[in-house]
Amino acid sequence: MRLANVRLERYGPFEALDLPLDPTPGRVNLIVAPNGYGKSVIRRAIGEFLFGIEARTPMTFRFGTEKMRILADVVQDGSVRSLVRRKGNGNTLAVLNGADVSPEDAHRMLGGADETVFRELFGLDTALLRSGGKELIRSQGRLGQVLFAAGGGMGRVRDLLTELERKRDDLGRATARHRSRPIWNALSEWEQAASDLRRVALRPDAWGLLERQAADSAKHLTALLEEQTAAVAERDRLRTIGASRPWLDKLRAAERVRIEAGDAPELDDTFERRWRDALEAGATSSSLALAAEADLLAAGEARSTLSFDPAWLAVEAEIDALPALRGRAQGAETDLPAVERTLAEERARASALRRELGWDEAVALPPAPIVKDAQSRLQQHPKLAAEAATAELRVADAERALAATLAEMAALPPEADVATIPDIARLLHAGGDPAARLEAGRQAVRKAETALQAALAAIPDCPLPETALRTTAAPSDAAMDAAEAALGRAEAALAQAGRDLAKQTAAITAETAKLAALERTAKLPPPDALAAARSHRDAVWLAICGPAPDPLEAVALDRAMREADRIADALIEHGQEVAQAAALRGRLAVLEAERAAAEDSVGQATDGVTDARDALSRIAHAAGGNASDVPALRAFLRARAVAVARHTERDTATTELADVTAHLTGLSRQLAAAMAVELPDISGLGVLLAEADRRTDAARNLTARRKTLSDHAATQRTVLASAATAASKADRTLADWTAQWATAMAALSRPENEAQAATSEALALVEELRATELKCEDAHRRIADMRAAIALLTAKVAGLAALSADWAAMPPIEAADAFQRRLQAERQQAARCADADKRVASATEKLTTSRAASEAAGRTLAGLRAALRADTDEAAELQLQRARSVLAAGRDAAEARRELAVQGGGLSVEVLTERCAETTAEADAARVAAIDAGHAERAASIEAAREASIAAATAMEQAGTGHQAAEAAQRREAAQAVLSRTVEEALVLHATHALLQAALDRQATGADQPLLARIGAVFRTITGGVQAGVKIEDTKDGQTMVALEADGVTRKALDQLSEGTSDQLYLALRIAALEDYAAATTPLPFIADDVLQTFDDPRTTATLEALVALSDRVQVIALTHHAHLGGLVDRLPAGSVHVMRLGG
Amino acid sequence: MPDFRFLHAADLHLDSPLRGLEADVSAPVEMIRGATRVALGHMVDLAIEEKVAFVLIAGDIYDGDWLDFGTGLFFSNQMRRLTHAEIPVFAIRGNHDAANRMTRSLRMPHVTVFEHNHAHTHRLDSLGVAIHGQSFADQAVPDDLSKDYPRPIDGMFNIGLLHTSAEGYAAHARYAPCDIQGLKSRGYDYWALGHVHERQELSQDPWIVFPGNLQGRHIGETGPKGASLVTVAGNRVQSVEHRVLDVLRWTHIDVDLDGVPDEAEAMIRVQYALESALRDAEPRPLAARVTLSGITTAHAVLAADGLRDKILNETHGIPGEHRLWLEAVKLRTRPPVLSARPDNLGRLLTEIDAIAAAPPSDLLGDWLSVLHAKLSEALPKDHPLQTAVTGDLTAIVEQARRRLEAALADHT
């Protein structure tokens, strides 16, 4: 595909930039523009036209995204399509003013290339050229990498190889075991974990040992515990005997005492305490009786000196009430004169108010609600009167406004009939100025006719006249594309089949050589040698077994058998080589079959090409042409399509002009009739239209005014009715007020005709009078209360005056105070008399109680003396002492028996006595000391044995529950997993490296000689013959490319080339790759951006020659800022470079 | 006869290491290490809680190459718990038990173990149950043991306890093979099988059941694991319930990225898949293998280093993220076909495809044999290096081809 007429709209710095590219094969497009003009923008624009505008393209910096477009004519297969690429989502490529270009169509247009291919192969600038040259040097000429680098900046494949190797070795080199590398570190971990697992895992013998250790520990512990138990028992026995000795002695002593005091009275344990208590009770009760008698005497004497007057206590309630009465009376006497003065003043003020109102004392005050109501009505009256007056004024205003509107309506002129004029005028105005439309139609006809003639002249080699050409049938785009694609596929299939056949042949040759070498080195017999030898042997044997054996046949049989054995031995000895040879033969058979298939494919592909060309020829004849190849047919069809389109356009323009003329004439006739004027010439249609518009506007204005006034009058009528209703309502309200006011005046005892101001003042006086009379009533009530309090106190004091004649003449207040003081004194005296009576009663009771206790104690002592068989207290004491010694001996004997029962270990007194007699206390003590001395040693042994037993049991328990082995196993698994993973990753990296290297080597091997020759030729052209070309050499690293000096013999390794020369070789590789690409599929335009800037003039000219040659197959668009290039172009064949100068 | 319930378990593989979480440094190492023991504890708890009449263990209590006697002691202690709860245990030795020199000599005082020389019967007369079984004598038992199992006892509930590969499962070695029809023909009421680690109900009339193992141990043993609780009433099986007993769950998470335009969209799909898998496994921890597949333009980005970390990053913030560990991330995506490109890259890829289809035996040179000599003992038998050294390069070269495809696509 090629581009023509590229246009950038609102893209980058350009609001509109036209690039009139020339798509002609064999012609380079050279765009010369100064630095900073936007050459890189143009390069980017072409890419975005082909593959879409990047979502975040920086080309919006000046005009934004709105209306950003890139337009171009796409020339492909002889046809031209004007396409436009807009910015947006989804499918953004469309035919100009037409439908979207489908993705399939776009893919076909681009020849299957994607943006990466465009960027890597079809784009080249100074930086890429330089880096490509460097890549060539770094590749050291390895052919695979060189070719790959040439194919589109894929020199990074070398980096990929290096990276794969480095990553593999980072995981661990196969030849050196370093723990720092993951593989070897994981292996060490695995070995350590496996060792740990073997070490910590519990084995049956270890478990048996644990069991034996536990059993031995338990047995030893049991023996020690038994020994300890026996020692403790002996010690306890000796301690029992030792502890029994003193108690046996005490028992014997007590028995002796009891025998010696045989006649002493037997007393119980409480007897002596009761004897002592009785003696003490007798003494105590006697002393208490004496003290009670003395107290009784003293209390009686004190009571006889006290007395009080019960008459005062009889009236104590009345006297206690006097203080309250006294307080009220004293307050009344103080306040009474002031209240009496207030009463007199308020009465005088009330009389004055009545006089002012004109009322005598007989006139009753009107109730307060009536007065309040009257005051409220007085406040309402001014507002009601004002509302009635305002309503009247509004009615008058509304009546005046309505009358004015009706008068204006009556003065308007009558309406004219212009109903049809506007519609006709609108039809005439539609489509623009009628005169301009007529002129445009005429111009269109002239232009279409001119274009038609030019298109007809441009049709190449057309045997048919214009009319006959229109009757031919052009193929559809799809049919043409299909036919061309079929031809392309057939040609590609033929090329591929050829390549396949060459590959198969080469593979057969290589495998055959391998087989021959193998048979030669291993001295292998032919494949069927053994079978033949055995067959020969069997044949000889059959001959021997026949009816007439020949003696010589025995010798032949021996030889035949030896030969068969020799071959069999050789086959056995070289079994591996035999197997390899068999595999090679099998492989050769497969390859032969594949070659046969490839040969068939070549034949079929050749037939396909012939068929495809026939189909194209048929298409050309049907379309009226004689073209014999695709470009010519495309060119004919494109020109034919243009001519047919122009013819149609000319016819369309003529028809449109006639239609417009007829349409305008008809409407003019209708308009003149509607306006009742004479029909003008078509040139006077403008004046007629202006008059029609004027009349239409006047009629519209009058109608609008009439409508406005009518609406206004209706509104005013509504306002007038509303004002009249409001005035009537205000009048009624005022009349109601007047009627109710008369009633109120009567209730207030006011004259019926009194002015409202006077009435208002009178109402204020009435309220003041009401307040004054209330104050008088209050003062009068308070005076009556004061006088009653004074009288009550006087009466009470008089009632109590009979108690003492001395106080009858006292003022009531002083008398009340004196009564209270006397009553208090009488109360105190009465309380003292009551206390004296209580002391006498208490002393009498104590005396009676103590005399009774003394008598009881005497009776108890007498009984106890009788029990002691004694007459006196002294004899009783002696008897009591003898009885006490017998009682103590009994207690000692009982205590000794109890202790012996406890300490004696269950032995009877008799047995204990016997055991004690067998030994001595000293001997027993020595024996116990000896046992105690050995106890600590035995206890320590037992504790040690117990710990050992626990430890053994714990070890068994832990052996059953521990995770050590599981932990080690898990570590081993983890290490194995890491090892597996890293080794697999290393293996994959190694295989990836090997696979890539093998593929590159195969590509180099498979590189065809024409391609290499073409690279050399372009290189020679670009260098102006300084370099004769390139040569391929076989080295230990595979095939390597070297450059040839001008003599065509001297070689130079690529890493020995100068910087400029390596750049030129890289450019040669790229040009050859582009041509190779173009041979396989539709190429894109090649854009070379300032790639010549480091070349001198001769090499620049030479390079332009190479680009001109390239442009036969691939459109070349070269961008440069060197204006002098335009001069160099003159050295090239005329018309081979299309120069476009931008930016002045 | 009284109604009763019993528990049927198999393939305990006690202390068998769990494999595959080593790559995840945050993996719960303690839990993983003790998982099979805890699962056995769960089984004993279940038996006691459900008051089962007896417990059946259909072989492979231990792992074949396991050498720690402590494992047997742990098992014995757990069985003692059942003895204290008056729940008898009947077991047979499977191929792993038979292969294990250590455990062949281990006494199991709390378990009734069937002899290996012939099939015989234990009767539980109080329940009316007859249990028929036979242990493996050796690791390899090529014969159908079930043929010589005793005739069913009339009037009793007859159970066959058998370790077998049945009719063959690709993932399991073929031991004591038998067919369903043959088992049915014995006339038993329930066949308690072991050896196959996936739960299987081969028949419901009569019931022939593989309960699966108690705890999945690697990514090959996915899904809920446990034992079968069998209810018998009126001398017939009323129900067979699978009771989940595992501690940690394994699962495959396959994410189809076909047509996905970029890495962001791919990660959204991954996150959704992770979230869904975690929800399914609630509340257990989940060990997952994430496999990305499909043809996508994001292939090159995904194939770059750090994919695992990117996926781990996607787990942040999803409910239950702390329960998830990645066993592995497998990239099975492919870029759109590059070999169809009409440039040198397309031709190179075509060449690579051709070599990968039939890799020459000397493609990898002597690097293989040098490394293999040093590592063969430490690597699993099925490791690609072990396979490659025998000349089979297909699998590894296919990986290499994919790697190249991604790398070259990325370089474009």
mmCIF file of all heavy atoms in Angstrom, chain A residues 154-180:
data_model
loop_
_atom_site.group_PDB
_atom_site.id
_atom_site.type_symbol
_atom_site.label_atom_id
_atom_site.label_comp_id
_atom_site.label_asym_id
_atom_site.label_seq_id
_atom_site.Cartn_x
_atom_site.Cartn_y
_atom_site.Cartn_z
ATOM 1 N N MET A 154 15.588 -6.095 15.900
ATOM 2 C CA MET A 154 15.461 -7.146 16.898
ATOM 3 C C MET A 154 16.813 -7.614 17.411
ATOM 4 O O MET A 154 17.009 -8.770 17.731
ATOM 5 C CB MET A 154 14.694 -8.332 16.305
ATOM 6 C CG MET A 154 13.208 -8.061 16.158
ATOM 7 S SD MET A 154 12.416 -7.757 17.758
ATOM 8 C CE MET A 154 12.622 -9.364 18.464
ATOM 9 N N GLY A 155 17.748 -6.705 17.434
ATOM 10 C CA GLY A 155 19.058 -7.051 17.940
ATOM 11 C C GLY A 155 19.026 -7.445 19.402
ATOM 12 O O GLY A 155 19.956 -8.060 19.905
ATOM 13 N N ARG A 156 17.937 -7.132 20.056
ATOM 14 C CA ARG A 156 17.853 -7.473 21.473
ATOM 15 C C ARG A 156 17.774 -8.974 21.703
ATOM 16 O O ARG A 156 17.841 -9.447 22.816
ATOM 17 C CB ARG A 156 16.634 -6.792 22.087
ATOM 18 C CG ARG A 156 16.892 -5.355 22.424
ATOM 19 C CD ARG A 156 15.617 -4.627 22.703
ATOM 20 N NE ARG A 156 14.768 -4.585 21.511
ATOM 21 C CZ ARG A 156 13.591 -3.987 21.467
ATOM 22 N NH1 ARG A 156 13.125 -3.403 22.511
ATOM 23 N NH2 ARG A 156 12.882 -3.970 20.363
ATOM 24 N N VAL A 157 17.601 -9.724 20.638
ATOM 25 C CA VAL A 157 17.585 -11.172 20.802
ATOM 26 C C VAL A 157 18.917 -11.649 21.379
ATOM 27 O O VAL A 157 18.984 -12.621 22.118
ATOM 28 C CB VAL A 157 17.281 -11.850 19.445
ATOM 29 C CG1 VAL A 157 18.475 -11.763 18.512
ATOM 30 C CG2 VAL A 157 16.902 -13.302 19.654
ATOM 31 N N ARG A 158 19.996 -10.908 21.042
ATOM 32 C CA ARG A 158 21.284 -11.269 21.631
ATOM 33 C C ARG A 158 21.239 -11.054 23.150
ATOM 34 O O ARG A 158 21.719 -11.874 23.914
ATOM 35 C CB ARG A 158 22.387 -10.405 21.008
ATOM 36 C CG ARG A 158 23.796 -10.838 21.390
ATOM 37 C CD ARG A 158 24.807 -9.863 20.826
ATOM 38 N NE ARG A 158 24.567 -8.514 21.317
ATOM 39 C CZ ARG A 158 24.899 -8.103 22.547
ATOM 40 N NH1 ARG A 158 25.503 -8.921 23.352
ATOM 41 N NH2 ARG A 158 24.652 -6.877 22.934
ATOM 42 N N ASP A 159 20.628 -9.935 23.568
ATOM 43 C CA ASP A 159 20.492 -9.692 25.005
ATOM 44 C C ASP A 159 19.663 -10.789 25.657
ATOM 45 O O ASP A 159 19.908 -11.191 26.796
ATOM 46 C CB ASP A 159 19.831 -8.335 25.257
ATOM 47 C CG ASP A 159 20.723 -7.205 24.773
ATOM 48 O OD1 ASP A 159 21.945 -7.421 24.690
ATOM 49 O OD2 ASP A 159 20.179 -6.124 24.463
ATOM 50 N N LEU A 160 18.675 -11.255 24.922
ATOM 51 C CA LEU A 160 17.822 -12.308 25.481
ATOM 52 C C LEU A 160 18.638 -13.583 25.707
ATOM 53 O O LEU A 160 18.525 -14.230 26.747
ATOM 54 C CB LEU A 160 16.650 -12.574 24.520
ATOM 55 C CG LEU A 160 15.678 -13.678 24.944
ATOM 56 C CD1 LEU A 160 15.087 -13.378 26.311
ATOM 57 C CD2 LEU A 160 14.564 -13.828 23.919
ATOM 58 N N LEU A 161 19.482 -13.904 24.752
ATOM 59 C CA LEU A 161 20.329 -15.084 24.918
ATOM 60 C C LEU A 161 21.225 -14.932 26.143
ATOM 61 O O LEU A 161 21.352 -15.840 26.969
ATOM 62 C CB LEU A 161 21.198 -15.271 23.664
ATOM 63 C CG LEU A 161 20.518 -15.939 22.469
ATOM 64 C CD1 LEU A 161 21.400 -15.813 21.244
ATOM 65 C CD2 LEU A 161 20.219 -17.394 22.755
ATOM 66 N N THR A 162 21.834 -13.773 26.256
ATOM 67 C CA THR A 162 22.721 -13.529 27.398
ATOM 68 C C THR A 162 21.947 -13.587 28.711
ATOM 69 O O THR A 162 22.409 -14.165 29.702
ATOM 70 C CB THR A 162 23.371 -12.133 27.251
ATOM 71 O OG1 THR A 162 23.964 -12.057 25.972
ATOM 72 C CG2 THR A 162 24.405 -11.911 28.336
ATOM 73 N N GLU A 163 20.773 -13.002 28.704
ATOM 74 C CA GLU A 163 19.954 -12.960 29.921
ATOM 75 C C GLU A 163 19.557 -14.379 30.352
ATOM 76 O O GLU A 163 19.600 -14.718 31.539
ATOM 77 C CB GLU A 163 18.708 -12.119 29.659
ATOM 78 C CG GLU A 163 17.825 -11.932 30.878
ATOM 79 C CD GLU A 163 16.544 -11.195 30.525
ATOM 80 O OE1 GLU A 163 16.391 -10.817 29.358
ATOM 81 O OE2 GLU A 163 15.707 -11.034 31.413
ATOM 82 N N LEU A 164 19.176 -15.205 29.400
ATOM 83 C CA LEU A 164 18.791 -16.577 29.725
ATOM 84 C C LEU A 164 19.960 -17.339 30.333
ATOM 85 O O LEU A 164 19.810 -18.056 31.334
ATOM 86 C CB LEU A 164 18.309 -17.293 28.455
ATOM 87 C CG LEU A 164 16.960 -16.819 27.905
ATOM 88 C CD1 LEU A 164 16.746 -17.385 26.505
ATOM 89 C CD2 LEU A 164 15.821 -17.237 28.826
ATOM 90 N N GLU A 165 21.120 -17.142 29.763
ATOM 91 C CA GLU A 165 22.304 -17.840 30.268
ATOM 92 C C GLU A 165 22.646 -17.367 31.673
ATOM 93 O O GLU A 165 22.937 -18.153 32.569
ATOM 94 C CB GLU A 165 23.471 -17.564 29.317
ATOM 95 C CG GLU A 165 24.551 -18.617 29.350
ATOM 96 C CD GLU A 165 25.502 -18.440 28.169
ATOM 97 O OE1 GLU A 165 25.679 -17.292 27.707
ATOM 98 O OE2 GLU A 165 26.044 -19.433 27.709
ATOM 99 N N ARG A 166 22.557 -16.040 31.850
ATOM 100 C CA ARG A 166 22.887 -15.488 33.168
ATOM 101 C C ARG A 166 21.910 -15.979 34.241
ATOM 102 O O ARG A 166 22.315 -16.390 35.325
ATOM 103 C CB ARG A 166 22.859 -13.947 33.111
ATOM 104 C CG ARG A 166 23.216 -13.283 34.435
ATOM 105 C CD ARG A 166 22.984 -11.795 34.370
ATOM 106 N NE ARG A 166 21.620 -11.430 34.029
ATOM 107 C CZ ARG A 166 20.587 -11.544 34.840
ATOM 108 N NH1 ARG A 166 20.760 -12.012 36.057
ATOM 109 N NH2 ARG A 166 19.377 -11.174 34.453
ATOM 110 N N LYS A 167 20.640 -15.955 33.893
ATOM 111 C CA LYS A 167 19.641 -16.396 34.879
ATOM 112 C C LYS A 167 19.850 -17.869 35.246
ATOM 113 O O LYS A 167 19.712 -18.254 36.407
ATOM 114 C CB LYS A 167 18.234 -16.196 34.317
ATOM 115 C CG LYS A 167 17.729 -14.773 34.397
ATOM 116 C CD LYS A 167 16.277 -14.711 33.957
ATOM 117 C CE LYS A 167 15.678 -13.337 34.209
ATOM 118 N NZ LYS A 167 14.294 -13.244 33.731
ATOM 119 N N ARG A 168 20.171 -18.689 34.243
ATOM 120 C CA ARG A 168 20.399 -20.105 34.521
ATOM 121 C C ARG A 168 21.585 -20.263 35.467
ATOM 122 O O ARG A 168 21.505 -20.983 36.463
ATOM 123 C CB ARG A 168 20.683 -20.836 33.203
ATOM 124 C CG ARG A 168 20.923 -22.329 33.366
ATOM 125 C CD ARG A 168 21.604 -22.905 32.135
ATOM 126 N NE ARG A 168 22.941 -22.320 31.969
ATOM 127 C CZ ARG A 168 23.684 -22.454 30.887
ATOM 128 N NH1 ARG A 168 23.223 -23.117 29.843
ATOM 129 N NH2 ARG A 168 24.883 -21.892 30.815
ATOM 130 N N ASP A 169 22.662 -19.554 35.197
ATOM 131 C CA ASP A 169 23.847 -19.698 36.032
ATOM 132 C C ASP A 169 23.658 -19.069 37.398
ATOM 133 O O ASP A 169 24.295 -19.482 38.373
ATOM 134 C CB ASP A 169 25.059 -19.096 35.331
ATOM 135 C CG ASP A 169 25.478 -19.934 34.131
ATOM 136 O OD1 ASP A 169 25.026 -21.096 34.053
ATOM 137 O OD2 ASP A 169 26.223 -19.430 33.275
ATOM 138 N N ASP A 170 22.796 -18.077 37.467
ATOM 139 C CA ASP A 170 22.486 -17.506 38.788
ATOM 140 C C ASP A 170 21.829 -18.550 39.681
ATOM 141 O O ASP A 170 21.965 -18.529 40.908
ATOM 142 C CB ASP A 170 21.557 -16.289 38.644
ATOM 143 C CG ASP A 170 22.335 -15.055 38.225
ATOM 144 O OD1 ASP A 170 23.570 -15.123 38.232
ATOM 145 O OD2 ASP A 170 21.697 -14.037 37.876
ATOM 146 N N LEU A 171 21.061 -19.419 39.099
ATOM 147 C CA LEU A 171 20.425 -20.476 39.896
ATOM 148 C C LEU A 171 21.454 -21.524 40.338
ATOM 149 O O LEU A 171 21.263 -22.173 41.369
ATOM 150 C CB LEU A 171 19.320 -21.153 39.085
ATOM 151 C CG LEU A 171 18.102 -20.276 38.795
ATOM 152 C CD1 LEU A 171 17.133 -21.013 37.889
ATOM 153 C CD2 LEU A 171 17.399 -19.884 40.082
ATOM 154 N N GLY A 172 22.493 -21.684 39.603
ATOM 155 C CA GLY A 172 23.543 -22.622 39.995
ATOM 156 C C GLY A 172 24.198 -23.237 38.775
ATOM 157 O O GLY A 172 23.514 -23.817 37.935
ATOM 158 N N ARG A 173 25.513 -23.119 38.707
ATOM 159 C CA ARG A 173 26.221 -23.737 37.587
ATOM 160 C C ARG A 173 26.277 -25.245 37.806
ATOM 161 O O ARG A 173 26.376 -25.716 38.936
ATOM 162 C CB ARG A 173 27.642 -23.188 37.504
ATOM 163 C CG ARG A 173 27.717 -21.749 37.056
ATOM 164 C CD ARG A 173 29.165 -21.278 37.078
ATOM 165 N NE ARG A 173 29.258 -19.882 36.714
ATOM 166 C CZ ARG A 173 29.335 -19.439 35.462
ATOM 167 N NH1 ARG A 173 29.334 -20.309 34.467
ATOM 168 N NH2 ARG A 173 29.420 -18.150 35.198
ATOM 169 N N ALA A 174 26.235 -25.977 36.699
ATOM 170 C CA ALA A 174 26.262 -27.427 36.808
ATOM 171 C C ALA A 174 27.630 -27.929 37.257
ATOM 172 O O ALA A 174 27.742 -28.974 37.895
ATOM 173 C CB ALA A 174 25.896 -28.045 35.453
ATOM 174 N N THR A 175 28.642 -27.141 36.964
ATOM 175 C CA THR A 175 29.997 -27.635 37.197
ATOM 176 C C THR A 175 30.594 -27.170 38.522
ATOM 177 O O THR A 175 31.657 -27.639 38.908
ATOM 178 C CB THR A 175 30.914 -27.160 36.065
ATOM 179 O OG1 THR A 175 30.756 -25.742 35.927
ATOM 180 C CG2 THR A 175 30.541 -27.839 34.756
ATOM 181 N N ALA A 176 29.970 -26.254 39.203
ATOM 182 C CA ALA A 176 30.561 -25.746 40.445
ATOM 183 C C ALA A 176 29.492 -25.664 41.519
ATOM 184 O O ALA A 176 28.462 -25.026 41.317
ATOM 185 C CB ALA A 176 31.179 -24.368 40.209
ATOM 186 N N ARG A 177 29.771 -26.313 42.662
ATOM 187 C CA ARG A 177 28.776 -26.333 43.731
ATOM 188 C C ARG A 177 29.061 -25.210 44.723
ATOM 189 O O ARG A 177 29.924 -25.331 45.585
ATOM 190 C CB ARG A 177 28.798 -27.680 44.434
ATOM 191 C CG ARG A 177 27.799 -27.782 45.571
ATOM 192 C CD ARG A 177 27.673 -29.194 46.094
ATOM 193 N NE ARG A 177 26.764 -29.230 47.236
ATOM 194 C CZ ARG A 177 26.302 -30.336 47.780
ATOM 195 N NH1 ARG A 177 26.654 -31.509 47.281
ATOM 196 N NH2 ARG A 177 25.493 -30.285 48.805
ATOM 197 N N HIS A 178 28.308 -24.129 44.582
ATOM 198 C CA HIS A 178 28.449 -22.999 45.512
ATOM 199 C C HIS A 178 27.159 -22.863 46.300
ATOM 200 O O HIS A 178 26.083 -22.774 45.712
ATOM 201 C CB HIS A 178 28.699 -21.698 44.738
ATOM 202 C CG HIS A 178 30.055 -21.639 44.122
ATOM 203 N ND1 HIS A 178 31.225 -21.660 44.855
ATOM 204 C CD2 HIS A 178 30.443 -21.572 42.828
ATOM 205 C CE1 HIS A 178 32.263 -21.605 44.037
ATOM 206 N NE2 HIS A 178 31.821 -21.567 42.798
ATOM 207 N N ARG A 179 27.293 -22.797 47.616
ATOM 208 C CA ARG A 179 26.083 -22.727 48.441
ATOM 209 C C ARG A 179 25.331 -21.425 48.252
ATOM 210 O O ARG A 179 24.186 -21.289 48.656
ATOM 211 C CB ARG A 179 26.427 -22.904 49.911
ATOM 212 C CG ARG A 179 26.605 -24.344 50.297
ATOM 213 C CD ARG A 179 26.229 -24.591 51.739
ATOM 214 N NE ARG A 179 24.818 -24.330 52.008
ATOM 215 C CZ ARG A 179 24.248 -24.615 53.170
ATOM 216 N NH1 ARG A 179 24.946 -25.148 54.130
ATOM 217 N NH2 ARG A 179 22.979 -24.343 53.370
ATOM 218 N N SER A 180 26.003 -20.436 47.701
ATOM 219 C CA SER A 180 25.310 -19.163 47.488
ATOM 220 C C SER A 180 24.279 -19.267 46.372
ATOM 221 O O SER A 180 23.424 -18.401 46.226
ATOM 222 C CB SER A 180 26.330 -18.075 47.147
ATOM 223 O OG SER A 180 27.012 -18.413 45.957
#
